[in-house]
Amino acid sequence: MYFAALLARTEDGWEASDTELDDVETLSDLADLAREASPEEDTVLVLIEQEDAWFGVVRVDGEDDPRIYVSDAAAAARSAYGELLLTDELLGREPGAADGPDLDELDLDGTEDGESEAADDDGDEEGGSGDAVPHSPVGDSEILDDLGISEKELRSLDAEDALGSIAEALGASEVLETVR
């Protein structure tokens, strides 16, 4: 089960809205959805969690590129919403290096399994496929520093109560609970 909410910073404090991600297919779509929540181009946080397995924070400040933090990349990689956040850049891969639509166009001869095992054996992550996603946080762990949540605090949050802890630190726990 997923939960996703938008927290938009306004002159009057934080405003929360429940959001449905079914129509969101890319990180750009998610950033556009966040921008629509704040016509004044204020900070908008997209908070996503999945069944106490992982959580993600996407921060959109006006027209700037979105900043992303994911608590457990490997857990997120196994979910549709997590895959939205795990860009090649975030995972430190060359664009197009991960499993994706490009593989559908290749004439595959069955050697991929052996290549993947060989890459795992010698620890070469660049030669591996999407299986090289770490069981650790990825992204901008300083994403909430200026909002009162340090890198250390963010990295120490447990997926079970992370969004509530973030909202509490922001002074937005009541508005988040109204959409939960």
Side-chain angles (χ1 to χ4, degrees), residues 47-122:
L47 305 174
I48 303 171
E49 70 180 359
Q50 182 206 355
E51 299 173 358
D52 303 332
W54 65 275
F55 70 93
V57 178
V58 178
R59 179 176 176 159
V60 178
D61 294 301
E63 291 299 317
D64 292 347
D65 287 339
R67 295 167 57 194
I68 305 164
Y69 175 82
V70 176
S71 66
D72 183 335
R78 293 187 299 268
S79 72
Y81 297 133
E83 287 180 346
L84 284 173
L85 307 181
L86 297 175
T87 63
D88 287 335
E89 180 182 348
L90 191 70
L91 294 172
R93 298 189 292 215
E94 290 296 318
D99 291 343
D102 294 344
L103 292 179
D104 294 335
E105 298 172 11
L106 297 176
D107 182 22
L108 302 175
D109 62 4
T111 59
E112 297 75 35
D113 292 336
E115 290 171 0
S116 178
E117 287 174 23
D120 290 344
D121 288 346
D122 64 15

Side-chain angles (χ1 to χ4, degrees), residues 8-16 40 42 170-172 175:
R9 192 163 153 185
T10 68
E11 291 178 3
D12 300 324
W14 292 95
E15 292 181 7
E40 300 298 317
D42 290 322
L170 298 174
V175 294

